[in-house]
Amino acid sequence: RAMELPPSHFPAARAAAAALGYLRYLRGGPGRGLLPRELRRARRQDIDGVGHKYCLELELEDVLDKGRTVSCTAEVLYHLGSTSCAPDVQVTVQGELRSTEEADEEFYNQIRSLEQELVAENIPDSHGNVPPELEPILLLAWVASGYVIWQNSTENTKFHLAQVKHVKQVKRSDEDLQFDYVLLLHEMVSQEVLPWQVTLLWHPQHGARVSQ
Amino acid sequence: MRLPVLLAALVAVATCTEIFAGHQVLRVLPQSDEELQKVQELQDLEHLQLDFWLDPRGLGLPVDIRVPFPSLQAVKAHLEAAGVSYSIMIEDVQALLDEEQREMLRSSRQLPLNTDTFNYEAYHTIDEIYSFMDMLVAENPNLVSKLEIGRSTENRPLYVLKFSTGGTNRPAIWIDTGIHSREWVTQASGVWFAKKIVQDHANNEGVASILETMDILLEIVTNPDGFAFTQTSNRLWRKTRSKNAGSICVGVDPNRNWDAGFGEAGASANPCTETYHGPYANSEPEVKSIVDFVKGHGNIKAFVSIHSYSQLLLYPYGYTYTPVPDQQELHEVSAKAVAALSSLYGTKYKYGSIITTI
């Protein structure tokens, strides 16, 4: 039993936010940040004994490649009765995302060669400004917040990253970069702003992972 | 500081170049002749490009040295090897210069002479906005007047700008911005709206035709206590600043305090939450003032409240799925408004009733 949902209504919008979180975690990086452009189509399927599955057609744009949009389809399955369990998300991106190999290597080498561990706070600042040299740090925060948003989304929530309250690089003996973030997430339904601590590991070839 | 360096600093500030990034100023207090000698040795090492703000003068007198970033390690190693203690007086000279430049810009902004030199591209303080309002009225006495409709919990005046080309109690359009204080772009938009209305009228375009038969009422800082709080204490404060009996939590969500579906869906009874509706409808002076004004006016035809973020154009209801009587017309008007908005720069808004869209 699948029903078509108006894309401007909140159920589809909330599912899209969860899908975007997941996608940012999977495909984001210091040189790539994905923004939602439009929700083209949404359907919902109630699966007895399992939960509610949303099928979405989205248009996204890469913050650093704003001229074009990328289409993608996403499936978000919220499990029945469980608010402590992350929704299952699958995303398929149609076409290629702009390559970030060079930018990733440059960023990686830059951070590795810092004598003092990077520390920053309030990104963006109260006026919405982001110093250009901290852009990659913010984009990595999108990756970290993407994970948190995906993991904590329900049909009754819609999260956005409001601000990076604090970030501290932690030098590691292995090849990964480590950033300890304190993120402020804004939840649209309750309007609460919630601080969240996340440790993000990143490597140009291995990608990102949130360490628990 | 030596003169050439001072000049260089001024040039750097003027041209916004960052030649002092990562430089530190170290303070050394030589306690013995040996220590003093070690510090004096540094003066001879020209390649370090040290800049003595306070030269070595004698025992127990501070020596202040600006050390460029590439020389920091060497200097600290030199001092530490000799057991000379030092402290870091300035962690990053460039940061200090940047802050100073910001201050200079701020103070030059404090006194825009008129609404043409006012900076619409920057966020402003309450005082700056209130002074903008007074300037706008002074410049356009036949079009704009300022009304005080009440006082906030912390006794700040609540001002409404009235744009009118005459008549008596003409039908009016109400616009408010900043009811949620952290939504800074809305107060800034309100300031810009005010200027735009005046400009349109002067150029006989845009809203000029509306002003022929209707008044526009604009409350820019609808929640001044909250706004002040976002500037002094918490950038993300949303509510008013009223005290809640029996709770340490402060503030009521003014946009849940209206007497329409009070306490129903979308509002919280918990004073510690962002959507706390308050002890009763219109408990907040910021809200009651508007209600009294609107009822007293009796001829308000449209009521528009501006929020951020989301790019949504919404019409009632927020607390029930029952459609408003004019739902069809509101939906059509919204569609036209959104299309018109998009025609300028491609900005996309979604639209619908509050309850279905948020």
Side-chain angles (χ1 to χ4, degrees), chain B residues 58-78:
Chain B
L59 292 182
L61 293 172
V63 181
D64 292 349
I65 317 166
R66 179 181 60 81
V67 183
F69 181 72
S71 305
L72 269 176
Q73 234 186 348
V75 170
K76 288 179 178 174
H78 180 94

Side-chain angles (χ1 to χ4, degrees), chain A residues 16-67:
Chain A
L20 181 71
Y22 176 79
L23 187 61
R24 280 182 173 182
Y25 179 55
L26 224 62
R27 304 296 301 270
R32 180 188 296 141
L34 295 170
L35 285 170
R37 266 284 288 260
E38 201 177 325
L39 176 58
R40 289 207 165 285
R41 196 181 166 199
R43 275 164 299 154
R44 181 180 125 173
Q45 197 186 356
D46 291 351
I47 307 172
D48 285 338
V50 178
H52 300 158
K53 182 157 92 161
Y54 291 76
C55 299
L56 313 165
E57 282 172 33
L58 301 148
E59 240 178 62
L60 309 165
E61 132 186 301
D62 184 339
V63 138
L64 296 168
D65 189 20
K66 273 197 157 146

Side-chain angles (χ1 to χ4, degrees), chain B residues 34-350:
Chain B
E34 287 83 11
E35 290 191 10
L36 191 55
Q37 200 192 357
K38 278 288 165 189
V39 176
Q40 282 163 333
E41 274 170 25
L42 284 173
Q43 287 183 295
D44 297 327
L45 301 171
E46 293 218 54
H47 66 282
L48 292 176
Q49 305 236 313
L50 301 181
D51 173 23
F52 281 74
W53 286 12
L54 276 176
D55 286 314
R57 290 163 292 155
L59 292 182
L61 293 172
V63 181
D64 292 349
I65 317 166
R66 179 181 60 81
V67 183
F69 181 72
S71 305
L72 269 176
Q73 234 186 348
V75 170
K76 288 179 178 174
H78 180 94
L79 292 171
E80 282 160 21
V84 181
S85 61
Y86 63 89
S87 60
I88 302 175
M89 240 174 54
I90 301 176
E91 287 248 16
D92 186 338
V93 175
Q94 191 59 47
L96 213 58
L97 288 170
D98 291 344
E99 176 57 49
E100 189 180 21
Q101 192 177 33
R102 282 195 287 271
E103 265 314 315
M104 289 180 348
L105 289 173
R106 263 199 288 271
S107 57
S108 72
R109 271 215 319 263
Q110 235 141 43
L111 303 160
L113 298 168
N114 54 57
T115 63
D116 287 319
T117 57
F118 187 88
N119 185 359
Y120 296 93
E121 291 175 15
Y123 290 120
H124 290 273
T125 62
I126 296 187
D127 289 338
E128 288 167 356
I129 295 177
Y130 281 9
S131 114
F132 160 84
M133 292 200 258
D134 289 337
M135 285 192 296
L136 195 69
V137 169
E139 291 163 17
N140 305 280
N142 296 324
L143 180 66
V144 194
S145 55
K146 185 177 88 174
L147 313 167
E148 183 175 322
I149 64 167
R151 298 235 143 195
S152 68
T153 294
E154 291 175 351
N155 206 32
R156 290 184 175 80
L158 303 167
Y159 290 133
V160 170
L161 289 179
K162 175 179 168 185
F163 300 83
S164 177
T165 58
T168 315
N169 196 234
R170 280 182 176 172
I173 298 168
W174 167 279
I175 307 174
D176 63 75
T177 55
I179 193 170
H180 288 141
S181 38
R182 65 186 178 201
E183 297 167 7
W184 278 15
V185 75
T186 71
Q187 295 95 334
S189 296
V191 168
W192 189 84
F193 292 166
K195 182 61 174 172
K196 190 74 171 72
I197 294 169
V198 163
Q199 282 176 333
D200 276 8
H201 177 258
N203 299 326
N204 201 20
E205 60 184 12
V207 301
S209 54
I210 294 177
L211 286 168
E212 281 170 21
T213 54
M214 296 180 82
D215 295 342
I216 300 175
L217 300 159
L218 175 63
E219 185 175 7
I220 300 175
V221 189
T222 306
N223 179 3
D225 296 349
F227 192 47
F229 199 71
T230 59
Q231 307 214 321
T232 57
S233 309
N234 180 353
R235 173 62 177 84
L236 295 171
W237 190 261
R238 165 186 164 92
K239 302 187 285 182
T240 61
R241 291 293 302 164
S242 52
K243 304 225 184 317
N244 292 313
S247 174
I248 51 164
C249 295
V250 175
V252 167
D253 184 344
N255 204 31
R256 301 291 188 277
N257 192 240
W258 306 100
D259 191 11
F262 180 80
E264 290 176 33
S268 161
N270 179 349
C272 298
T273 58
E274 297 282 24
T275 55
Y276 174 51
H277 48 58
Y280 51 87
N282 303 332
S283 62
E284 304 310 286
E286 296 83 354
V287 172
K288 181 151 198 323
S289 302
I290 298 175
V291 174
D292 289 345
F293 179 82
V294 169
K295 286 185 170 175
H297 187 283
N299 208 10
I300 296 195
K301 299 300 180 186
F303 193 99
V304 182
S305 189
I306 313 286
H307 294 254
S308 70
Y309 53 97
S310 288
Q311 292 178 203
L312 298 170
L313 178 53
L314 305 169
Y315 52 81
Y317 294 109
Y319 56 88
T320 172
Y321 278 95
T322 308
V324 279
D326 302 304
Q327 208 268 352
Q328 174 110 359
E329 185 176 0
L330 278 170
H331 202 75
E332 280 166 18
V333 169
S334 302
K336 288 184 188 167
V338 158
L341 194 157
S342 184
S343 73
L344 265 184
Y345 307 113
T347 316
K348 288 192 192 328
Y349 268 60
K350 299 214 223 127

